[in-house]
Short mmCIF file of all heavy atoms in Angstrom, two decimals:
data_model
loop_
_atom_site.label_atom_id
_atom_site.label_comp_id
_atom_site.label_asym_id
_atom_site.label_seq_id
_atom_site.Cartn_x
_atom_site.Cartn_y
_atom_site.Cartn_z
N LEU P 44 -18.24 19.59 -15.66
CA LEU P 44 -19.07 20.67 -15.16
C LEU P 44 -19.66 21.44 -16.37
O LEU P 44 -19.02 21.54 -17.41
CB LEU P 44 -18.25 21.64 -14.29
CG LEU P 44 -17.66 21.04 -13.06
CD1 LEU P 44 -16.92 22.12 -12.32
CD2 LEU P 44 -18.80 20.49 -12.14
N ASP P 45 -20.81 22.00 -16.17
CA ASP P 45 -21.48 22.78 -17.25
C ASP P 45 -21.00 24.25 -17.06
O ASP P 45 -21.64 25.07 -16.49
CB ASP P 45 -22.99 22.69 -17.07
CG ASP P 45 -23.79 23.25 -18.26
OD1 ASP P 45 -23.05 23.61 -19.22
OD2 ASP P 45 -24.98 23.34 -18.16
N TRP P 46 -19.88 24.54 -17.69
CA TRP P 46 -19.26 25.84 -17.61
C TRP P 46 -20.16 26.90 -18.32
O TRP P 46 -20.20 28.05 -17.89
CB TRP P 46 -17.88 25.83 -18.14
CG TRP P 46 -16.92 25.00 -17.30
CD1 TRP P 46 -16.55 23.75 -17.62
CD2 TRP P 46 -16.35 25.40 -16.10
NE1 TRP P 46 -15.72 23.34 -16.57
CE2 TRP P 46 -15.56 24.30 -15.62
CE3 TRP P 46 -16.38 26.49 -15.28
CZ2 TRP P 46 -14.89 24.29 -14.44
CZ3 TRP P 46 -15.70 26.52 -14.09
CH2 TRP P 46 -14.97 25.45 -13.65
N LYS P 47 -20.85 26.51 -19.40
CA LYS P 47 -21.69 27.42 -20.11
C LYS P 47 -22.83 27.91 -19.23
O LYS P 47 -23.13 29.13 -19.19
CB LYS P 47 -22.22 26.79 -21.38
CG LYS P 47 -23.07 27.63 -22.20
CD LYS P 47 -23.53 26.88 -23.49
CE LYS P 47 -24.37 27.78 -24.33
NZ LYS P 47 -24.98 27.08 -25.42
N PHE P 48 -23.39 27.00 -18.49
CA PHE P 48 -24.49 27.36 -17.56
C PHE P 48 -23.97 28.39 -16.51
O PHE P 48 -24.63 29.31 -16.18
CB PHE P 48 -25.05 26.15 -16.86
CG PHE P 48 -25.76 26.42 -15.59
CD1 PHE P 48 -27.06 26.97 -15.63
CD2 PHE P 48 -25.21 26.25 -14.38
CE1 PHE P 48 -27.72 27.24 -14.47
CE2 PHE P 48 -25.86 26.50 -13.18
CZ PHE P 48 -27.15 27.03 -13.24
N LEU P 49 -22.78 28.11 -15.99
CA LEU P 49 -22.21 28.95 -14.94
C LEU P 49 -21.90 30.33 -15.46
O LEU P 49 -22.20 31.32 -14.77
CB LEU P 49 -20.94 28.26 -14.43
CG LEU P 49 -20.38 28.79 -13.11
CD1 LEU P 49 -21.36 28.50 -11.99
CD2 LEU P 49 -19.05 28.11 -12.80
N ILE P 50 -21.33 30.44 -16.65
CA ILE P 50 -21.06 31.76 -17.23
C ILE P 50 -22.33 32.47 -17.50
O ILE P 50 -22.48 33.70 -17.20
CB ILE P 50 -20.21 31.59 -18.49
CG1 ILE P 50 -18.81 31.10 -18.09
CG2 ILE P 50 -20.07 32.92 -19.28
CD1 ILE P 50 -17.96 30.64 -19.30
N GLU P 51 -23.33 31.85 -18.04
CA GLU P 51 -24.65 32.50 -18.37
C GLU P 51 -25.36 32.94 -17.08
O GLU P 51 -25.97 34.01 -17.06
CB GLU P 51 -25.54 31.58 -19.21
CG GLU P 51 -25.06 31.41 -20.60
CD GLU P 51 -25.93 30.38 -21.35
OE1 GLU P 51 -26.90 29.85 -20.75
OE2 GLU P 51 -25.62 30.14 -22.54
N ALA P 52 -25.27 32.11 -16.06
CA ALA P 52 -25.95 32.47 -14.79
C ALA P 52 -25.32 33.72 -14.16
O ALA P 52 -26.02 34.58 -13.66
CB ALA P 52 -25.88 31.27 -13.88
N PHE P 53 -24.00 33.81 -14.19
CA PHE P 53 -23.34 34.97 -13.62
C PHE P 53 -23.52 36.21 -14.52
O PHE P 53 -23.54 37.32 -13.99
CB PHE P 53 -21.89 34.72 -13.34
CG PHE P 53 -21.70 34.00 -12.04
CD1 PHE P 53 -21.39 32.68 -12.03
CD2 PHE P 53 -21.82 34.71 -10.84
CE1 PHE P 53 -21.19 32.03 -10.82
CE2 PHE P 53 -21.65 34.05 -9.61
CZ PHE P 53 -21.35 32.67 -9.65
N GLN P 54 -23.61 36.01 -15.81
CA GLN P 54 -23.88 37.16 -16.71
C GLN P 54 -25.31 37.74 -16.56
O GLN P 54 -25.46 38.96 -16.56
CB GLN P 54 -23.59 36.85 -18.11
CG GLN P 54 -22.13 36.70 -18.46
CD GLN P 54 -21.85 36.32 -19.90
OE1 GLN P 54 -22.82 35.87 -20.63
NE2 GLN P 54 -20.59 36.35 -20.38
N ASN P 55 -26.21 36.85 -16.43
CA ASN P 55 -27.65 37.28 -16.30
C ASN P 55 -27.98 37.79 -14.92
O ASN P 55 -28.93 38.42 -14.72
CB ASN P 55 -28.58 36.19 -16.66
CG ASN P 55 -28.46 35.75 -18.14
OD1 ASN P 55 -27.92 36.55 -18.94
ND2 ASN P 55 -28.81 34.55 -18.46
N GLY P 56 -27.13 37.38 -13.92
CA GLY P 56 -27.48 37.83 -12.57
C GLY P 56 -28.47 36.96 -11.87
O GLY P 56 -28.94 37.30 -10.78
N ASN P 57 -28.84 35.80 -12.42
CA ASN P 57 -29.86 34.94 -11.80
C ASN P 57 -29.26 33.68 -11.12
O ASN P 57 -29.90 32.63 -11.11
CB ASN P 57 -30.92 34.59 -12.86
CG ASN P 57 -30.32 33.70 -13.96
OD1 ASN P 57 -29.14 33.54 -14.00
ND2 ASN P 57 -31.21 33.22 -14.87
N TYR P 58 -28.10 33.84 -10.53
CA TYR P 58 -27.45 32.65 -9.96
C TYR P 58 -27.88 32.37 -8.60
O TYR P 58 -27.52 31.41 -7.95
CB TYR P 58 -25.92 32.86 -10.02
CG TYR P 58 -25.39 34.17 -9.51
CD1 TYR P 58 -25.13 34.36 -8.17
CD2 TYR P 58 -25.19 35.19 -10.37
CE1 TYR P 58 -24.68 35.52 -7.71
CE2 TYR P 58 -24.70 36.39 -9.94
CZ TYR P 58 -24.44 36.60 -8.60
OH TYR P 58 -23.99 37.81 -8.15
N PHE P 59 -28.71 33.24 -7.98
CA PHE P 59 -29.24 32.96 -6.68
C PHE P 59 -30.74 32.77 -6.71
O PHE P 59 -31.45 33.19 -5.83
CB PHE P 59 -28.92 34.10 -5.68
CG PHE P 59 -27.53 34.03 -5.11
CD1 PHE P 59 -26.71 35.13 -5.11
CD2 PHE P 59 -27.03 32.83 -4.55
CE1 PHE P 59 -25.44 35.01 -4.61
CE2 PHE P 59 -25.79 32.77 -4.01
CZ PHE P 59 -24.97 33.83 -4.05
N GLU P 60 -31.24 32.09 -7.70
CA GLU P 60 -32.66 31.83 -7.81
C GLU P 60 -32.95 30.36 -7.50
O GLU P 60 -32.11 29.47 -7.83
CB GLU P 60 -33.11 32.13 -9.24
CG GLU P 60 -33.11 33.60 -9.54
CD GLU P 60 -33.66 33.82 -10.91
OE1 GLU P 60 -34.04 32.86 -11.65
OE2 GLU P 60 -33.76 35.02 -11.31
N GLY P 61 -34.07 30.13 -6.88
CA GLY P 61 -34.62 28.78 -6.77
C GLY P 61 -33.73 27.79 -6.06
O GLY P 61 -33.26 27.98 -4.96
N THR P 62 -33.47 26.68 -6.75
CA THR P 62 -32.75 25.60 -6.17
C THR P 62 -31.31 25.88 -5.83
O THR P 62 -30.75 25.34 -4.91
CB THR P 62 -32.84 24.33 -7.08
OG1 THR P 62 -32.23 24.72 -8.34
CG2 THR P 62 -34.21 23.83 -7.30
N LEU P 63 -30.69 26.73 -6.66
CA LEU P 63 -29.27 27.11 -6.36
C LEU P 63 -29.15 27.83 -5.06
O LEU P 63 -28.23 27.67 -4.31
CB LEU P 63 -28.60 27.79 -7.57
CG LEU P 63 -28.45 27.04 -8.85
CD1 LEU P 63 -27.77 27.92 -9.84
CD2 LEU P 63 -27.60 25.82 -8.56
N TYR P 64 -30.11 28.76 -4.84
CA TYR P 64 -30.09 29.50 -3.57
C TYR P 64 -30.27 28.52 -2.36
O TYR P 64 -29.56 28.63 -1.34
CB TYR P 64 -31.13 30.53 -3.55
CG TYR P 64 -31.24 31.35 -2.24
CD1 TYR P 64 -30.21 32.24 -1.94
CD2 TYR P 64 -32.24 31.10 -1.37
CE1 TYR P 64 -30.25 32.99 -0.76
CE2 TYR P 64 -32.26 31.90 -0.15
CZ TYR P 64 -31.27 32.77 0.11
OH TYR P 64 -31.29 33.45 1.31
N GLU P 65 -31.25 27.61 -2.57
CA GLU P 65 -31.43 26.57 -1.45
C GLU P 65 -30.20 25.71 -1.30
O GLU P 65 -29.84 25.35 -0.21
CB GLU P 65 -32.67 25.74 -1.79
CG GLU P 65 -33.99 26.50 -1.81
CD GLU P 65 -35.09 25.75 -2.39
OE1 GLU P 65 -34.91 24.61 -2.85
OE2 GLU P 65 -36.20 26.35 -2.45
N LEU P 66 -29.56 25.33 -2.37
CA LEU P 66 -28.39 24.47 -2.28
C LEU P 66 -27.26 25.22 -1.61
O LEU P 66 -26.56 24.63 -0.71
CB LEU P 66 -27.98 24.05 -3.72
CG LEU P 66 -26.69 23.18 -3.79
CD1 LEU P 66 -27.00 21.84 -3.15
CD2 LEU P 66 -26.27 22.96 -5.23
N PHE P 67 -27.05 26.51 -1.96
CA PHE P 67 -26.01 27.29 -1.33
C PHE P 67 -26.32 27.42 0.21
O PHE P 67 -25.36 27.30 1.06
CB PHE P 67 -25.88 28.65 -2.01
CG PHE P 67 -24.85 29.50 -1.39
CD1 PHE P 67 -23.51 29.33 -1.57
CD2 PHE P 67 -25.19 30.60 -0.54
CE1 PHE P 67 -22.50 30.04 -1.02
CE2 PHE P 67 -24.24 31.40 -0.02
CZ PHE P 67 -22.90 31.11 -0.23
N SER P 68 -27.48 27.67 0.54
CA SER P 68 -27.88 27.83 1.93
C SER P 68 -27.63 26.52 2.69
O SER P 68 -27.15 26.49 3.87
CB SER P 68 -29.39 28.21 2.08
OG SER P 68 -29.57 29.41 1.44
N LEU P 69 -28.04 25.36 2.05
CA LEU P 69 -27.80 24.09 2.68
C LEU P 69 -26.33 23.80 2.91
O LEU P 69 -25.93 23.33 3.96
CB LEU P 69 -28.48 23.00 1.86
CG LEU P 69 -28.33 21.54 2.37
CD1 LEU P 69 -29.05 21.34 3.68
CD2 LEU P 69 -28.75 20.57 1.37
N LEU P 70 -25.54 24.08 1.89
CA LEU P 70 -24.07 23.87 2.02
C LEU P 70 -23.47 24.73 3.13
O LEU P 70 -22.66 24.28 3.88
CB LEU P 70 -23.39 24.22 0.71
CG LEU P 70 -23.56 23.21 -0.46
CD1 LEU P 70 -22.92 23.72 -1.69
CD2 LEU P 70 -22.98 21.87 -0.07
N PHE P 71 -23.95 25.96 3.22
CA PHE P 71 -23.44 26.85 4.27
C PHE P 71 -23.82 26.33 5.68
O PHE P 71 -23.01 26.25 6.58
CB PHE P 71 -23.90 28.30 4.05
CG PHE P 71 -23.42 29.24 5.06
CD1 PHE P 71 -22.10 29.59 5.07
CD2 PHE P 71 -24.26 29.66 6.08
CE1 PHE P 71 -21.64 30.52 6.08
CE2 PHE P 71 -23.78 30.54 7.05
CZ PHE P 71 -22.56 30.96 7.02
N VAL P 72 -25.04 25.90 5.82
CA VAL P 72 -25.51 25.37 7.09
C VAL P 72 -24.78 24.07 7.45
O VAL P 72 -24.38 23.88 8.56
CB VAL P 72 -27.02 25.16 7.10
CG1 VAL P 72 -27.54 24.39 8.24
CG2 VAL P 72 -27.73 26.55 7.03
N LEU P 73 -24.58 23.19 6.47
CA LEU P 73 -23.87 21.96 6.73
C LEU P 73 -22.42 22.22 7.11
O LEU P 73 -21.90 21.58 8.04
CB LEU P 73 -23.97 21.05 5.57
CG LEU P 73 -25.34 20.38 5.27
CD1 LEU P 73 -25.27 19.63 3.94
CD2 LEU P 73 -25.72 19.49 6.41
N TYR P 74 -21.78 23.15 6.41
CA TYR P 74 -20.41 23.49 6.78
C TYR P 74 -20.28 24.03 8.14
O TYR P 74 -19.38 23.63 8.93
CB TYR P 74 -19.86 24.46 5.73
CG TYR P 74 -18.33 24.74 5.93
CD1 TYR P 74 -17.42 23.93 5.38
CD2 TYR P 74 -17.93 25.87 6.59
CE1 TYR P 74 -16.08 24.19 5.54
CE2 TYR P 74 -16.54 26.11 6.86
CZ TYR P 74 -15.62 25.24 6.30
OH TYR P 74 -14.31 25.47 6.50
N VAL P 75 -21.16 24.97 8.51
CA VAL P 75 -21.10 25.54 9.85
C VAL P 75 -21.43 24.49 10.90
O VAL P 75 -20.76 24.41 11.98
CB VAL P 75 -22.12 26.73 9.94
CG1 VAL P 75 -22.28 27.21 11.35
CG2 VAL P 75 -21.58 27.86 9.09
N ALA P 76 -22.37 23.58 10.64
CA ALA P 76 -22.67 22.58 11.60
C ALA P 76 -21.57 21.56 11.80
O ALA P 76 -21.25 21.20 12.92
CB ALA P 76 -23.98 21.83 11.14
N LYS P 77 -20.92 21.15 10.71
CA LYS P 77 -19.78 20.26 10.80
C LYS P 77 -18.61 20.90 11.54
O LYS P 77 -17.95 20.27 12.39
CB LYS P 77 -19.30 19.79 9.45
CG LYS P 77 -20.25 18.71 8.81
CD LYS P 77 -19.90 18.44 7.39
CE LYS P 77 -18.59 17.78 7.19
NZ LYS P 77 -18.36 17.37 5.74
N PHE P 78 -18.35 22.16 11.22
CA PHE P 78 -17.27 22.93 11.87
C PHE P 78 -17.51 23.10 13.34
O PHE P 78 -16.71 22.81 14.17
CB PHE P 78 -17.09 24.27 11.16
CG PHE P 78 -16.08 25.07 11.90
CD1 PHE P 78 -14.66 24.87 11.63
CD2 PHE P 78 -16.37 26.09 12.81
CE1 PHE P 78 -13.71 25.61 12.26
CE2 PHE P 78 -15.44 26.83 13.40
CZ PHE P 78 -14.07 26.57 13.16
N THR P 79 -18.78 23.47 13.68
CA THR P 79 -19.07 23.75 15.09
C THR P 79 -19.10 22.46 15.92
O THR P 79 -18.47 22.51 17.02
CB THR P 79 -20.52 24.36 15.19
OG1 THR P 79 -20.56 25.56 14.33
CG2 THR P 79 -20.88 24.75 16.57
N THR P 80 -19.61 21.40 15.42
CA THR P 80 -19.61 20.15 16.24
C THR P 80 -18.17 19.64 16.42
O THR P 80 -17.84 19.21 17.56
CB THR P 80 -20.47 19.07 15.59
OG1 THR P 80 -20.07 18.90 14.24
CG2 THR P 80 -21.98 19.44 15.70
N SER P 81 -17.39 19.63 15.39
CA SER P 81 -16.04 19.13 15.51
C SER P 81 -15.18 20.08 16.42
O SER P 81 -14.40 19.62 17.21
CB SER P 81 -15.40 18.93 14.20
OG SER P 81 -15.32 20.13 13.47
#
Side-chain angles (χ1 to χ4, degrees):
L44 297 181
D45 190 7
W46 294 101
K47 183 178 178 185
F48 161 76
L49 196 64
I50 292 169
E51 288 176 0
F53 277 104
Q54 284 178 349
N55 296 338
N57 62 355
Y58 48 89
F59 278 130
E60 290 182 0
T62 57
L63 291 183
Y64 179 72
E65 294 168 359
L66 180 66
F67 180 73
S68 302
L69 178 67
L70 286 175
F71 180 74
V72 168
L73 288 176
Y74 185 83
V75 169
K77 284 170 68 176
F78 176 80
T79 305
T80 53
S81 60

